[in-house]
Amino acid sequence: GGADDERCLRRSVAAFSDVELRHAVLHGVGNNDLDLNTKILGQDSKMPYFITSCAGQRMFHADGEVATARAAKKHGLHMALSQLTTSTFEDVREAHPDGAKTLQLYVWRDRVLLKEVLDRAKEVGFTGLALTADFSWVGNRERETRTGFTVPPSYSMR
């Protein structure tokens, strides 16, 4: 769903309704014909993209961000981890010890806590930082109110 009366959501869906992705692009090119290796933020990557962050992954899978780190390792990809992770930085590092990792950072007013988070991320080997500037308030999701949908009142790494 979207926020408030979902007009923006409907407009976005309408704008993309005429777009069709053609899956046949590069059809006939063999797996050994392409070298997709590149660098992202100065780090090696086997493909020209990385796995972006998503908070609270353990709400959807028991292994959460650790499973994402395993997938990134398996495919040689850089990954980003949300500051609102439900797995520890250390568990993510253990699952993908040599991989490039970026922390998605919410710039909180509590600068002491923010510095502690940054120090921990650096200590466990995060190599990049993505600042989040769009989390100043949560949208009014009227559909969620009507349907009774709620995010668990508190989820954690445990």
Side-chain angles (χ1 to χ4, degrees):
D4 291 316
D5 59 10
E6 299 184 337
R7 279 189 290 177
C8 183
L9 174 63
R10 284 192 302 278
R11 287 178 181 159
S12 293
V13 169
F16 285 99
S17 67
D18 291 334
V19 175
E20 183 176 329
L21 298 178
R22 295 189 48 139
H23 63 340
V25 174
L26 298 178
H27 179 73
V29 175
N31 289 338
N32 296 324
D33 295 339
L34 296 175
D35 178 7
L36 298 177
N37 287 290
T38 189
K39 287 192 179 287
I40 298 174
L41 300 174
Q43 303 291 320
D44 290 332
S45 181
K46 295 212 182 263
M47 290 180 251
Y49 56 85
F50 67 95
I51 300 172
T52 191
S53 60
C54 175
Q57 292 181 32
R58 288 181 70 188
M59 289 191 300
F60 309 102
H61 187 280
D63 293 338
E65 294 84 356
V66 171
T68 302
R70 282 189 212 116
K73 179 181 178 182
K74 178 180 177 181
H75 297 287
L77 296 176
H78 185 114
M79 73 170 284
L81 184 72
S82 173
Q83 184 177 346
L84 300 179
T85 178
T86 50
S87 300
T88 66
F89 292 176
E90 293 78 11
D91 287 345
V92 169
R93 174 189 60 197
E94 186 178 320
H96 192 10
D98 300 320
K101 289 172 279 303
T102 293
L103 179 66
Q104 175 200 12
L105 187 73
Y106 298 92
V107 184
W108 294 331
R109 288 189 179 142
D110 185 339
R111 299 298 199 237
V112 174
L113 180 59
L114 193 62
K115 182 166 181 348
E116 289 174 12
V117 169
L118 287 169
D119 289 344
R120 272 190 60 227
K122 185 176 181 181
E123 184 179 309
V124 299
F126 282 79
T127 57
L129 198 59
L131 299 179
T132 299
D134 66 346
F135 195 69
S136 54
W137 68 84
V138 176
N140 176 32
R141 300 191 178 268
E142 294 175 3
R143 181 190 308 200
E144 292 173 6
T145 302
R146 285 192 310 273
T147 62
F149 176 83
T150 62
V151 172
S154 90
Y155 58 87
S156 72
M157 293 178 262
R158 306 250 179 261

